[in-house]
Amino acid sequence: MPARRVTTVTVPVQVRSGVAFEAYRDRTPLLIIWATRPALLVTLTLPERIEPGHVRFARALATSAAAYATEVERRYLAPTLQEVTA
């Protein structure tokens, strides 16, 4: 069986990049991610009927985002910590 192809898009994060979460009372929530250069907008939406796979995807996304945030913070603080210990 041949390997599956995976499409990957890499966009450098700029200062004006961001993420937003919008919850609605009568419809599924939205997660919006944007970057300014090159311009990119990703909106994650769900169908009106949410199934277990949607919940698993959302939890996996949250876990990955938390791990990413931890690593970014670690790299940001590393130079400061080196100065303190020197």
Side-chain angles (χ1 to χ4, degrees), residues 49-86:
R49 182 165 181 242
I50 298 176
E51 299 174 359
H54 299 124
V55 176
R56 285 191 302 274
F57 172 80
R59 288 289 172 203
L61 179 62
T63 299
S64 295
Y68 176 75
T70 299
E71 182 63 17
V72 169
E73 186 174 36
R74 185 187 70 78
R75 287 178 173 249
Y76 174 74
L77 294 175
T80 305
L81 293 175
Q82 288 175 359
E83 291 172 9
V84 171
T85 58

Side-chain angles (χ1 to χ4, degrees), residues 17-71:
S17 299
V19 63
F21 167 71
E22 297 182 16
Y24 300 96
R25 195 178 100 187
D26 297 325
R27 58 178 279 211
T28 59
L30 295 177
L31 179 64
I32 303 161
I33 303 166
W34 69 90
T36 54
R37 285 193 191 151
L40 172 74
L41 175 64
V42 177
T43 304
L44 298 178
T45 61
L46 294 169
E48 289 304 314
R49 182 165 181 242
I50 298 176
E51 299 174 359
H54 299 124
V55 176
R56 285 191 302 274
F57 172 80
R59 288 289 172 203
L61 179 62
T63 299
S64 295
Y68 176 75
T70 299
E71 182 63 17

